[in-house]
Amino acid sequence: MGGTKGGRGVSDRLHKIHCRLYADAVPSWDNIVIAYEPVWAIGTGKVATPQQAQEVHVAIRDWLKKNVSEEVASKTRIIYGGKSFVVPVIAL
C-alpha cells in the first residue's frame, strides 16, 4: 500500500475500492502482512516519521475493522515497508 503526500480525492476513493477488492479475495488472513510505504518516499531517500507511520497503521486497522472484521484488524501484522534508519525503527 502507498500513500501520496497530500492526495485526497478521487485517487483515494479508487484506492479504497481496490483495497476492498483485494480484501474480498483473501481466503484466509492468518498469514497476511500489510506493508505500507508512502508514494512520496519511494526512491527519494525520505522516510515517514514514526508518527506518520503510526497514523497510517491506525487507519489501516480501522479500515480492516470496518471492512473485514475486528479479529482481522487486531491480528494482522502491519509494517512500514520503506527505508528505515536505526532511530526511527526503534521508535516504531
Side-chain angles (χ1 to χ4, degrees):
M1 299 180 74
T4 60
K5 193 168 187 175
R8 300 248 188 260
V10 174
S11 64
D12 284 350
R13 288 192 297 273
L14 290 174
H15 184 74
K16 288 177 184 176
I17 291 168
H18 286 133
C19 287
R20 180 72 232 177
L21 293 173
Y22 288 127
D24 288 344
V26 175
S28 170
W29 286 85
D30 292 339
N31 295 312
I32 297 294
V33 176
I34 297 175
Y36 167 80
E37 180 177 14
V39 173
W40 53 263
I42 298 170
T44 65
K46 297 178 182 178
V47 297
T49 66
Q51 180 180 348
Q52 289 170 321
Q54 187 60 36
E55 288 170 0
V56 173
H57 290 200
V58 168
I60 292 169
R61 286 200 193 284
D62 184 52
W63 188 93
L64 288 169
K65 184 177 179 180
K66 290 177 184 175
N67 292 279
V68 182
S69 75
E70 191 168 334
E71 180 182 10
V72 166
S74 67
K75 290 184 175 181
T76 300
R77 290 169 287 173
I78 303 171
I79 62 171
Y80 177 76
K83 180 185 280 187
S84 299
F85 298 105
V86 174
V87 174
V89 169
I90 292 170
L92 293 174

